[in-house]
Amino acid sequence: MKRKNIIILLWVSLGTTLFFFLFFNQEKTFRNFMITMLLSVMYTFVLGVGNGVINESLNKRFPWSEATKTRAVLSIVSIIIGNFILVYLCNYMNYVVIQKVATTEEFFSPKYGVTNWFMINIALLITAFLHAKGFMEELKKTSKKEVVEQKLIAKSANAQFESLKNQLDPHFLFNSLNVLSSLIDENPGQAQKFTASMSKIYRYVLEQKDKELVTVEDEIEFAKTYCDLLKTRFEDSVDFVFEVSKEDLRKYVVPLSLQLLLENCIKHNFATSSKPLIIRIFSDGDILCIENNLQVREQIKESSGIGLANIVQRYSLLTKRNVFIEKAEDYFKVKLPMLANKPNIVNAKPDDEYKTYKKAQKRVKEIKDFYTNLISYCIVIPFLIFINLYTNSKSHWFWFPMLGWGVGVASHAFQVFGIGESWQDKKIREIMNKDKK
């Protein structure tokens, strides 16, 4: 047990000693004070340490955050059985061994039954409060831990996304300068036009590179402008076909994806007037396809694969839908998912996850309500017993509220931890599965 808990138990023992010595002890002698202190220390440490051991054992094997239902049931059972044993042990030591006001037979007779039951309820009250406090502390720790984890995931995803986007500038500039270098030697006039057009295209790159998604319409317009540049160099050797339906223009794709894929088509295939390279950009359902006839060029240097890998990774951060690649003997095709709306970099909580969160929140409220009911029972019933015995010891009317409310508490526990909504959901799923078969 921690030193802090021992100090707390000592203070509780001292406070209990002073309370009983000053208000319930007629002879204010040193001997009576020491007996009262001995009894207070015994009750405090036996009940405190005993319940502490039970609570710590349950925390290790059945943490609140991992097995809430099992832990709640075990907590209820353990505090009832544990306190029943511990209270009887303390009362036996008090009345039979220390004060010697009763024999063993008298202690286990109905004469001391009310006293034992009163003490058990007091112990249950304190223990139920401590278990509820432990539950709330564990819930608070778990919530903080989840918030920290989500922040780390968000920071990691943002950092990764920024890193991927930063690859676009040098990649685009490097490939454009390669094209420009070739044009300077082949056709200086076209090189000047290419330089002017490249400045316009690079402006688009700078505008869009910080965006997660752009509309298909914007990306198609940019791709057409970029295709004009390629036509400037390759003339009749390259042909572009755009067949994107109007309703798909409002959907979203990752920015510069078409430009990167067009670069790949030119880079990995040869194009001549007799064997032109035909590149088709068309929509197929919610897929944007970029397809070219396969005319593989011999590569002196192995490709780095930055362009396609960049697109795949950016899509993986934005959606669960994948980028597909098809390669046949006569064609090469890349399929880009078109998204109907803009998700965040760290995907927003889906409907099923949100429902699960709300269900868990409702579950926590049910457990809190049950512990409130249990604590209220443990407070009110001992008070009623005290009032009944103090005013009229012959008529024990406290049994009626004690048993009636006790049945209610038991029913509440059975509902929360026995056949609550989880049981209903399980049965519903079983019936639905049978119907599907």
Side-chain angles (χ1 to χ4, degrees):
M1 180 174 275
K2 296 180 180 179
R3 182 180 177 184
K4 178 182 176 181
N5 295 331
I6 295 175
I7 294 174
I8 291 173
L9 291 176
L10 288 173
W11 279 108
V12 171
S13 300
L14 180 59
T16 306
T17 301
L18 293 174
F19 177 77
F20 281 97
F21 180 74
L22 294 175
F23 295 101
F24 294 94
N25 206 318
Q26 296 179 354
E27 296 183 9
K28 305 293 190 297
T29 63
F30 179 76
R31 181 177 179 277
N32 287 340
F33 178 81
M34 294 304 297
I35 292 175
T36 305
M37 176 174 281
L38 174 64
L39 294 175
S40 297
V41 171
M42 180 186 68
Y43 276 99
T44 303
F45 275 83
V46 170
L47 293 174
V49 174
N51 282 288
V53 170
I54 293 173
N55 195 33
E56 289 178 5
S57 300
L58 290 175
N59 282 337
K60 291 179 181 178
R61 296 185 180 182
F62 305 97
W64 281 109
S65 57
E66 297 178 6
T68 306
K69 180 178 177 180
T70 304
R71 172 59 192 279
V73 174
L74 290 176
S75 292
I76 295 170
V77 174
S78 63
I79 63 176
I80 292 175
I81 297 175
N83 282 286
F84 184 87
I85 296 172
L86 293 174
V87 167
Y88 262 85
L89 174 64
C90 290
N91 284 346
Y92 183 85
M93 294 296 297
N94 179 13
Y95 297 115
V96 179
V97 178
I98 298 175
Q99 297 195 58
K100 297 179 181 180
V101 294
T103 62
T104 302
E105 291 77 11
E106 289 177 340
F107 178 76
F108 289 103
S109 67
K111 180 180 179 181
Y112 283 88
V114 175
T115 303
N116 290 326
W117 180 252
F118 180 80
M119 293 297 297
I120 288 171
N121 276 274
I122 295 295
L124 287 175
L125 165 65
I126 299 171
T127 309
F129 173 77
L130 293 176
H131 277 261
K133 181 174 178 290
F135 167 73
M136 296 305 298
E137 288 178 350
E138 184 69 20
L139 183 64
K140 189 176 180 181
K141 288 179 183 178
T142 304
S143 300
K144 286 184 178 180
K145 183 179 179 182
E146 289 178 354
V147 170
V148 171
E149 288 177 351
Q150 289 300 319
K151 285 183 178 180
L152 291 175
I153 292 172
K155 288 181 180 179
S156 176
N158 275 294
Q160 187 178 359
F161 197 81
E162 289 300 321
S163 176
L164 290 169
K165 288 192 295 186
N166 289 336
Q167 291 179 359
L168 299 178
D169 285 347
H171 185 72
F172 171 78
L173 187 59
F174 176 76
N175 285 281
S176 298
L177 290 176
N178 279 341
V179 175
L180 181 60
S181 177
S182 301
L183 281 177
I184 289 173
D185 294 332
E186 296 173 5
N187 192 334
Q190 292 286 9
Q192 290 181 356
K193 292 181 181 179
F194 184 90
T195 304
S197 299
M198 193 180 79
S199 65
K200 296 179 182 179
I201 292 177
Y202 200 73
R203 185 182 297 112
Y204 175 86
V205 174
L206 294 176
E207 290 173 352
Q208 304 298 335
K209 81 178 188 70
D210 291 328
K211 295 181 180 179
E212 299 166 14
L213 293 168
V214 294
T215 62
V216 174
E217 183 177 13
D218 288 343
E219 193 70 5
I220 291 293
E221 290 300 319
F222 169 70
K224 288 180 178 179
T225 306
Y226 186 71
C227 289
D228 291 339
L229 287 185
L230 296 176
K231 289 285 287 185
T232 300
R233 177 184 177 189
F234 294 98
E235 297 180 345
D236 296 334
S237 300
V238 179
D239 193 15
F240 302 95
V241 179
F242 289 88
E243 297 174 343
V244 180
S245 59
K246 290 183 179 180
E247 56 268 20
D248 292 328
L249 294 177
R250 294 184 179 275
K251 295 180 180 178
Y252 297 92
V253 292
V254 297
L256 306 178
S257 53
L258 289 183
Q259 181 263 329
L260 290 171
L261 293 175
L262 290 171
E263 280 184 7
N264 280 349
C265 293
I266 300 297
K267 182 178 180 181
H268 297 294
N269 296 274
F270 68 85
T272 62
S273 298
S274 58
K275 287 187 176 182
L277 180 66
I278 302 173
I279 302 174
R280 291 179 62 225
I281 296 97
F282 61 96
S283 57
D284 181 12
D286 57 354
I287 299 294
L288 184 63
C289 302
I290 298 87
E291 179 182 302
N292 65 275
N293 55 325
L294 204 58
Q295 299 178 162
V296 181
R297 176 187 297 177
E298 291 185 5
Q299 299 286 339
I300 299 176
K301 185 179 179 181
E302 187 177 352
S303 173
S304 62
I306 290 177
L308 189 56
N310 184 287
I311 295 171
V312 172
Q313 290 182 60
R314 282 192 290 158
Y315 264 107
S316 68
L317 289 173
L318 291 167
T319 178
K320 293 181 179 179
R321 296 173 59 190
N322 297 320
V323 176
F324 290 99
I325 301 169
E326 289 184 14
K327 186 175 182 181
E329 293 183 359
D330 57 346
Y331 74 89
F332 183 85
K333 183 190 294 185
V334 178
K335 297 180 178 181
L336 300 178
M338 291 189 292
L339 308 180
N341 48 40
K342 284 187 176 183
N344 294 323
I345 293 176
V346 179
N347 290 332
K349 191 175 292 185
D351 291 341
D352 56 346
E353 188 178 345
Y354 178 73
K355 289 178 181 177
T356 303
Y357 170 77
K358 295 300 289 184
K359 189 175 180 180
Q361 190 179 43
K362 183 179 179 182
R363 181 70 177 163
V364 170
K365 185 178 182 302
E366 289 176 352
I367 296 173
K368 286 170 64 180
D369 290 343
F370 167 73
Y371 273 110
T372 302
N373 190 11
L374 179 62
I375 291 171
S376 300
Y377 176 82
C378 294
I379 293 174
V380 175
I381 294 301
F383 179 74
L384 293 178
I385 294 173
F386 175 77
I387 295 295
N388 181 198
L389 298 179
Y390 184 78
T391 56
N392 187 1
S393 59
K394 294 181 179 180
S395 177
H396 294 169
W397 52 261
F398 66 85
W399 288 106
F400 297 102
M402 184 179 72
L403 294 176
W405 195 353
V407 171
V409 172
S411 176
H412 196 175
F414 194 57
Q415 182 181 4
V416 174
F417 305 110
I419 56 170
E421 287 190 3
S422 59
W423 178 85
Q424 296 176 21
D425 293 343
K426 184 179 179 181
K427 286 298 179 186
I428 290 171
R429 285 195 296 270
E430 288 178 1
I431 294 171
M432 290 176 66
N433 291 333
K434 287 181 181 178
D435 291 341
K436 288 179 181 179
K437 293 178 181 179

